[in-house]
Amino acid sequence: MFPDIDYLDWITGRPEAATHDLGSSDLRRAVPEPDGIVPPKLADLPSPPDDLDLETIIADAYDVGTENVLVTAGATHANFVAMAAALGGKGDGAGETDGGDDRPPRALIEKPGYEPLVATPEGLGATVDRFRRPAEDDYGLDPGRVEAAMSDGTRCIVVTNRHNPSGSRASRETMAEASRAAADNDAILLVDEVYAPFCADEASVFGGPTAAMLPNTVITNSMTKYLGFGPIRVGWLVADADFVSRAQSVMFHVPAISAPGMALTRRALYAETELAEGSRDRIEENRELLAEFVEERDDISGAVPSGCTYGFFSHESADGDEVSEAAWEEGILVVPGRFFDDGDSFRLSLGLDNETVRAGLDAFGDVLDDIGE
């Protein structure tokens, strides 16, 4: 039985209803007219050659083979498929470990963390354990904490990079240490990389670090966050060929990818360099706005990571729900930290254009002033 996901219940409809959206983290682009299909930004971009399929475009971006790529209906779909494949073991049923042990599999998830990444393995029948990414360590990923929290039944370890909700970014070297810990326990490390490209440099895939093709590792990503085409609903996972084959078997149970979505994704990723320039400009502008806003206020605390448009913050006298509710009364969307395992905090996400989020921060500043009175 899949548990309710309180965050998705709470957030549904709010971005559209908000006067100021400081809760949505995707770098959103204009959508088609009501009867349209093609997002305006894609309308005038060149189409890739007919013989260049989507799997090849993604594989080339990660410098892997097409046998290492599985296209999915977004990152949530990719995470579901990856967890199901990891928790099911190597060809065994989801409730059986290799060798006939009938104990339920275990998933190890970061804390604080994104609620759906906890709810999904629970729905798949796993026992969920947690390891900490503490605020006092700037929410950094510590492979030693991962290793210490594993048990014999751990089959899947789930992290986000950048970390959601803090924006903390782990290097590939750190991810390699975590992957070795997973491999030593015969577990799979699942790295949700939807925020990895949120940066100003061009270090790797889409500008950010990737854990792709580290041992016992599967990464997921999508069109939604960095490229800003959430309505297309296409994502992917990258892993070794054996894991991709297992994940494909899961996909047969949940087919959900549209041909138009695949075609639009081909066009977008073929022109990724051009699209990424706009994304990086917005990241740099909005990150500067967020950093200035936090620095100028004495009543909130929290780090604004370099090259990142979102962060996790706390107020000196109000918890996350109190801040979020006060903001919502003024039409401002701010996400309370209880959806990320920390009720004292809240997440600010500046995904929209620079002028829009500037107005939102000004309005939110007035809300914080009222809270302090």
Side-chain angles (χ1 to χ4, degrees), residues 118-363:
V118 178
T120 296
E122 288 179 344
L124 290 167
T127 298
V128 172
D129 303 309
R130 310 298 297 274
F131 74 93
R132 293 185 64 229
R133 297 183 65 158
E136 56 267 29
D137 293 340
D138 296 326
Y139 300 101
L141 177 65
D142 182 350
R145 289 183 181 272
V146 175
E147 187 170 16
M150 284 191 291
S151 67
D152 290 341
T154 302
R155 293 197 195 166
C156 186
I157 303 159
V158 183
V159 301
T160 53
N161 196 32
R162 290 182 180 264
H163 178 230
N164 187 14
S166 75
S168 176
R169 188 172 77 173
S171 67
R172 183 171 172 88
E173 290 73 22
T174 297
M175 299 308 304
E177 291 182 39
S179 79
R180 283 194 291 271
D184 288 345
N185 205 60
D186 199 24
I188 295 294
L189 175 67
L190 169 58
V191 187
D192 182 324
E193 293 188 352
V194 295
Y195 295 114
F198 278 50
C199 58
D201 57 26
E202 299 183 37
S204 186
V205 177
F206 305 149
T210 178
M213 303 312 291
L214 291 172
N216 285 51
T217 299
V218 53
I219 67 99
T220 58
N221 208 329
S222 80
M223 295 290 291
T224 298
K225 301 301 182 182
Y226 182 60
L227 293 179
F229 295 113
I232 292 178
R233 291 291 185 269
V234 172
W236 54 89
L237 63 81
V238 178
D240 67 74
D242 286 343
F243 188 90
V244 168
S245 179
R246 289 158 56 192
Q248 179 66 72
S249 296
V250 176
M251 283 274 288
F252 292 145
H253 295 273
V254 284
I257 309 172
S258 70
M262 296 274 282
L264 291 172
T265 301
R266 284 179 68 241
R267 182 179 295 188
L269 293 185
Y270 185 64
E272 180 272 328
T273 300
E274 178 178 342
L275 294 173
E277 183 176 348
S279 293
R280 291 197 185 100
D281 288 344
R282 192 185 303 187
I283 286 169
E284 292 181 23
E285 293 170 354
N286 286 358
R287 191 270 172 189
E288 184 176 344
L289 276 181
L290 183 57
E292 289 176 354
F293 178 80
V294 173
E295 184 177 357
E296 290 172 357
R297 299 206 62 94
D298 296 329
D299 52 353
I300 62 173
S301 59
V304 182
S306 175
C308 191
T309 60
Y310 66 91
F312 209 37
F313 307 98
S314 59
H315 189 275
E316 63 179 6
S317 61
D319 65 24
D321 278 306
E322 291 169 330
V323 171
S324 176
E325 289 167 6
W328 189 246
E329 288 177 1
E330 301 301 323
I332 306 166
L333 177 59
V334 173
V335 180
R338 62 186 165 93
F339 298 125
F340 302 94
D341 304 303
D342 185 349
D344 290 334
S345 302
F346 57 91
R347 191 186 71 174
L348 291 178
S349 303
L350 310 189
L352 304 182
D353 66 270
N354 187 253
E355 291 305 313
T356 298
V357 299
R358 185 189 298 273
L361 287 173
D362 287 343

